[in-house]
Every structure is written in C-alpha cells, then in structure tokens.
Amino acid sequence: MSAVPPPPFRVRIGVRSYEMDVNGHVNHAVYHQYGEHARMEHFRAAGLSQHALGAHGLTIVLLSTTVHFRAELRAGDELEIDSVIDFSERKPFTMSHRIVRVAAGDGTRTDDLSAEVQCTLGVLDTTTRRLAGGPYGRLRAAASDPSLLGPGPRDALLGRPSD
C-alpha cells in the first residue's frame, strides 16, 4: 500500500498596490518574495524558526530560485501560495510553490494559476559554514512538527509514511 502524500502547506496573502510595475501588474521580482513568504511560513509552522534552527547550529539557505509566470496579478487580488518540500539523498533539497489567484481585486472568485516557483535549498551548518548532509534528518530533529516536512527521501521512494 502506498503512502498518501501530505497536502501542500498553504498561505494566503493579498496583492498590495506598491507591488505593481509600470504596466499595472505585479513586478516580476515580487513573485520571488511571495515564494519566500510561503517558505518561511512553512518552516515556521513546522517549528523551524531561525531561533529553533540556531539552537541546532543550523540555518536554511536558498541556493537557486526560478519562477515560471502563467498569468498576471493586479492590486487587490487574493492569492493562495502552496509549498511542497522534496528531499533526496543529496545535500540540496527542493521546495515548489504554486501561486494561485483565488479572488480578483473586484471580489470575483477565481482559480487562476499565476506562477510556479522552484527553489533549491540547503541546510547550512553555522559552525563550519558548509552545507550539511542529511538535510531531512537534521530538519526533522529540529522541528516541533516534523510531519509538515513531508516524507523523507527513502520514505518517498518506498511509498511509506515518514512518521
């Protein structure tokens, strides 16, 4: 029997007027900020605040990020940003986000995929200033709610829950 993957972690935000570019839609760089917000909220919900990570001599670093734009966003739109973590046996791990407009600025309900954000991250050992091996295990040990990290690399491959 294969494990059912956990649902994506989700946050909601509203598009603010100061995030607009000269064309009247969200500036391209702001999509990266939306992804960052979802990542930080996901880690915070798992109990991985900077303070909690620091107590374990760790921090999380962003190694790369890519945004694929699908539909424009405008001031007043309401967004839902999900986040899914994928661990492998390697030091880097990935986090994916879908930015979905759930309501237009006029209140009309929508379900428009606006962007997809792909990030590569690592767990940095703050003493050695090097990426730490076994990021899933290290984050799981520091988390107060490790279930929000999703399955570990071997668990995902074997189709079993990580808890």
Side-chain angles (χ1 to χ4, degrees):
M1 182 165 92
S2 66
V4 175
F9 179 84
R10 290 185 170 86
V11 295
R12 282 193 175 221
I13 61 170
V15 175
R16 296 158 291 239
S17 61
Y18 60 83
E19 295 172 332
M20 300 302 103
D21 65 13
V22 297
N23 297 314
H25 56 251
V26 170
N27 179 280
H28 64 93
V30 175
Y31 289 82
H32 292 278
Q33 294 172 351
Y34 292 161
E36 178 72 10
H37 178 70
R39 276 191 303 286
M40 297 309 293
E41 287 300 304
H42 191 154
F43 289 134
R44 185 191 57 74
L48 295 170
S49 66
Q50 280 303 118
H51 178 74
L53 288 165
H56 286 83
L58 304 172
T59 193
I60 298 171
V61 294
L62 180 66
L63 302 172
S64 69
T65 183
T66 304
V67 177
H68 296 278
F69 303 99
R70 305 294 183 211
E72 67 184 357
L73 295 170
R74 297 186 179 278
D77 289 349
E78 184 178 339
L79 310 177
E80 185 172 88
I81 307 163
D82 69 20
S83 130
V84 175
I85 307 172
D86 184 29
F87 292 95
S88 72
E89 296 293 334
R90 300 183 56 217
K91 290 180 183 179
F93 62 97
T94 60
M95 203 160 189
S96 303
H97 309 285
R98 290 172 14 98
I99 300 172
V100 176
R101 181 175 62 177
V102 294
D106 64 5
T108 305
R109 303 302 300 170
T110 65
D111 191 20
D112 302 329
L113 177 61
S114 298
E116 295 166 298
V117 182
Q118 298 290 330
C119 303
T120 302
L121 302 117
V123 174
L124 186 78
D125 180 311
T126 57
T127 303
T128 64
R129 304 304 292 172
R130 301 271 186 235
L131 287 184
Y136 177 75
R138 289 176 183 257
L139 293 178
R140 188 170 174 80
S144 60
D145 188 354
S147 68
L148 290 176
L149 298 175
R154 288 188 185 108
D155 298 321
L157 291 173
L158 297 173
R160 65 180 185 210
S162 57
D163 290 328

